[in-house]
Amino acid sequence: MKFLIIIGFSGVGKTSAGAFLSTQAGAVHFEASKYMRSLWSKSEDRSETIQDFAAKSLKTRPNAVPDAILREVDQSRATRGIITGFRSPAEVRRIEATHDIRLLLIDATLASRIDRLRHRVREGDPVTCEQLMKLDEAHLAMGMRTLLEVGKPGRISNERGVQDFQRSLIKYASSFFMEKPSATPRQSGSRVGEPITF
């Protein structure tokens, strides 16, 4: 199976991009935060915020979310998948160990992101720029810094309007999903932790 893994900070439009591409590319969309929130809801310590829980989980159980995704993949006949919301290189490496992957970073300005988050209204989302910048720092500490610096993801800006954004997504996803699959995942290029070239 080929996985396009979409990364980016909160409010850039990762989930919307994943949902859009799943219909356009015939791919199954897996939203990592859905799995993390499910784990959080079962946590015994309900005083923890979702962000604190996620940060701890990525250190103590880094494969919990990717393993849940892989269990669902095993039950499907899909050949294409889109994962949105990974924060840690360990999560990416877990998928990459058995499947072809490509990373895509979506970015947007702080003002655009906070506007999207205010309209989304989800528990735990930041509502001020200061809160969002603090959340960005937390995500960098969880592993986003390594994904950005070492993973060398492709990059699409979500600032030019919906149609331009969607055209860019289709072009990028098509270039990955249509290329010939590797003989084995280990021959698919570099591992996360080494530069990835497109």
Side-chain angles (χ1 to χ4, degrees):
M1 187 164 179
K2 299 181 93 172
F3 280 101
L4 178 60
I5 300 177
I6 299 175
I7 61 172
F9 295 103
S10 289
V12 296
K14 298 182 302 293
T15 303
S16 297
F20 170 73
L21 283 177
S22 70
T23 61
Q24 297 297 308
V28 181
H29 178 208
F30 303 93
E31 171 52 49
S33 67
K34 178 187 92 170
Y35 296 91
M36 188 63 77
R37 284 181 178 275
S38 175
L39 293 171
W40 177 55
S41 70
K42 298 170 187 169
S43 169
E44 293 177 11
D45 184 1
R46 295 300 292 142
S47 65
E48 272 186 316
T49 66
I50 179 64
Q51 297 306 326
D52 290 339
F53 177 82
K56 183 175 77 175
S57 293
L58 288 173
K59 288 180 183 173
T60 60
R61 300 174 55 206
N63 290 333
V65 170
D67 282 347
I69 290 170
L70 290 172
R71 281 191 295 274
E72 285 193 33
V73 167
D74 287 344
Q75 298 170 6
S76 78
R77 293 184 172 188
T79 59
R80 299 173 178 175
I82 296 167
I83 299 173
T84 52
F86 277 173
R87 307 280 181 214
S88 161
E91 293 176 301
V92 174
R93 283 193 301 266
R94 179 68 182 100
I95 302 296
E96 191 178 31
T98 53
H99 299 280
D100 284 338
I101 70 150
R102 185 173 292 176
L103 291 179
L104 172 63
L105 169 69
I106 297 177
D107 62 16
T109 64
L110 195 66
S112 295
R113 294 168 52 211
I114 199 69
D115 187 55
R116 287 187 190 108
L117 291 171
R118 286 177 179 156
H119 285 93
R120 184 168 75 180
V121 189
R122 189 167 73 187
E123 181 185 357
D125 277 349
V127 293
T128 67
C129 288
E130 293 76 19
Q131 291 173 342
L132 185 54
M133 288 188 289
K134 185 176 178 182
L135 182 60
D136 288 353
E137 284 301 318
H139 289 164
L140 287 168
M142 287 179 199
M144 282 286 293
R145 182 173 282 110
T146 302
L147 287 178
L148 296 174
E149 293 173 355
V150 182
K152 305 289 188 203
R155 182 180 297 246
I156 293 176
S157 172
N158 190 3
E159 288 292 328
R160 298 180 311 238
V162 173
Q163 289 182 338
D164 281 345
F165 180 54
Q166 290 178 342
R167 274 194 294 271
S168 296
L169 287 170
I170 290 169
K171 182 177 178 183
Y172 191 87
S174 295
S175 72
F176 172 55
F177 287 131
M178 300 309 288
E179 69 185 26
K180 187 176 179 181
S182 303
T184 66
R186 290 285 178 201
Q187 296 172 345
S188 65
S190 55
R191 308 287 87 195
V192 168
E194 305 168 8
I196 294 176
T197 55
F198 299 110

